[in-house]
Amino acid sequence: MYQWNWPILWATSSDGVSSYLGTLLLGLKWTLVVGLSAWAAALLTGAIVGIARTFTGGVFARLAEAYVEFFRSIPLIVQMFLWFYVAPDLLPESAASAIKAWDKYNVVAAILCLSFYTSARVAEQVRAGIQAIPTGQSYAARALGLRTFEVYRYVLLPVGLRKILPALTNEFLNVIKNTSVAFTIAVVELMAATRSMQETTFQIFEAFTAATLIYLAVNLLVVRLMAFIERKLDVPGLGIRQPR
């Protein structure tokens, strides 16, 4: 039977400063920095693109469709490499050199990658939420004299976003989990910290079990938070939350 060695978490890590648990928590900090920043950008961008996806034609609808198909069709890890290795070389040489020399560009690249990738998925959720609203509500709003912007602002978006809160919760969880891909471009997030602990201590089970528990705790907190928001935004009669 395997003999667990949990005290290794409190042993001094290879940097000689913090414990291995401290290293994992530092990785968690960067996981949250990347994940929350990417989620904020993805939610805003996804909402704009999702609205454009509901238009019945025109250049904005076609651009939004191309945006969604592009970013959700390319694997996440490929996009990560493109943002980190290729994107700087598309700029003038002086700018490219400055970006490559910046020690935090890998973090920025990870945020950009995750935000664009996730925004394409959020856009489809927003589109589905708006299109699930009976057309009578839109007609009634227009009959009251509301312009297109006001129809979206006061009717379609408030109702549509409430309908897709469970789906948005899932996307939020995916962002947190997808930050693990950032270790491929040397972002020392939770997965990179876990691998570092595993390689220096050879305590594979302890390292990845601890990381699993940390991911689980963070995601359960996100679920609780989103459930709280869902309850606060619930409007009786809209059919958003099923009666129990």
Side-chain angles (χ1 to χ4, degrees), residues 157-180:
L157 275 179
V159 177
L161 289 177
R162 284 181 170 89
K163 287 180 176 292
I164 63 171
L165 271 177
L168 290 180
T169 299
N170 188 54
E171 295 302 332
F172 196 173
L173 295 176
N174 282 337
V175 169
I176 299 298
K177 292 181 288 186
N178 286 339
T179 57
S180 60

Side-chain angles (χ1 to χ4, degrees), residues 66-200:
Y67 179 97
V68 168
E69 295 303 328
F70 178 82
F71 284 107
R72 74 175 181 177
S73 298
I74 302 175
L76 176 60
I77 193 169
V78 175
Q79 294 188 40
M80 192 72 72
F81 288 150
L82 288 174
W83 278 105
F84 185 65
Y85 293 109
V86 178
D89 289 327
L90 300 178
L91 300 174
E93 184 175 352
S94 59
S97 300
I99 288 176
K100 291 178 180 179
W102 186 24
D103 62 349
K104 289 295 186 289
Y105 176 65
N106 55 346
V107 175
V108 174
I111 293 173
L112 288 172
C113 173
L114 286 172
S115 61
F116 279 101
Y117 177 81
T118 306
S119 67
R121 300 169 60 88
V122 170
E124 288 301 276
Q125 302 292 352
V126 171
R127 178 184 66 84
I130 292 175
Q131 292 181 340
I133 300 172
T135 55
Q137 292 191 28
S138 178
Y139 292 150
R142 293 182 185 278
L144 291 173
L146 296 183
R147 295 171 296 179
T148 299
F149 171 80
E150 294 172 327
V151 172
Y152 277 93
R153 167 66 179 82
Y154 296 110
V155 180
L156 299 183
L157 275 179
V159 177
L161 289 177
R162 284 181 170 89
K163 287 180 176 292
I164 63 171
L165 271 177
L168 290 180
T169 299
N170 188 54
E171 295 302 332
F172 196 173
L173 295 176
N174 282 337
V175 169
I176 299 298
K177 292 181 288 186
N178 286 339
T179 57
S180 60
V181 180
F183 89 91
T184 59
I185 59 172
V187 177
V188 188
E189 42 68 62
L190 182 55
M191 180 54 65
T194 303
R195 289 173 63 88
S196 174
M197 175 182 171
Q198 170 251 311
E199 291 169 358
T200 55

Side-chain angles (χ1 to χ4, degrees), residues 188-242:
V188 188
E189 42 68 62
L190 182 55
M191 180 54 65
T194 303
R195 289 173 63 88
S196 174
M197 175 182 171
Q198 170 251 311
E199 291 169 358
T200 55
T201 65
F202 301 102
Q203 304 293 314
I204 300 175
F205 295 110
E206 287 81 357
F208 282 94
T209 301
T212 299
L213 293 176
I214 293 173
Y215 275 121
L216 182 61
V218 171
N219 286 340
L220 287 177
L221 180 61
V222 169
V223 170
R224 293 295 184 184
L225 175 63
M226 295 300 286
F228 173 78
I229 294 174
E230 188 176 347
R231 288 194 300 271
K232 289 298 182 181
L233 295 181
D234 185 33
V235 177
L238 288 181
I240 298 167
R241 291 177 58 87
Q242 297 298 322

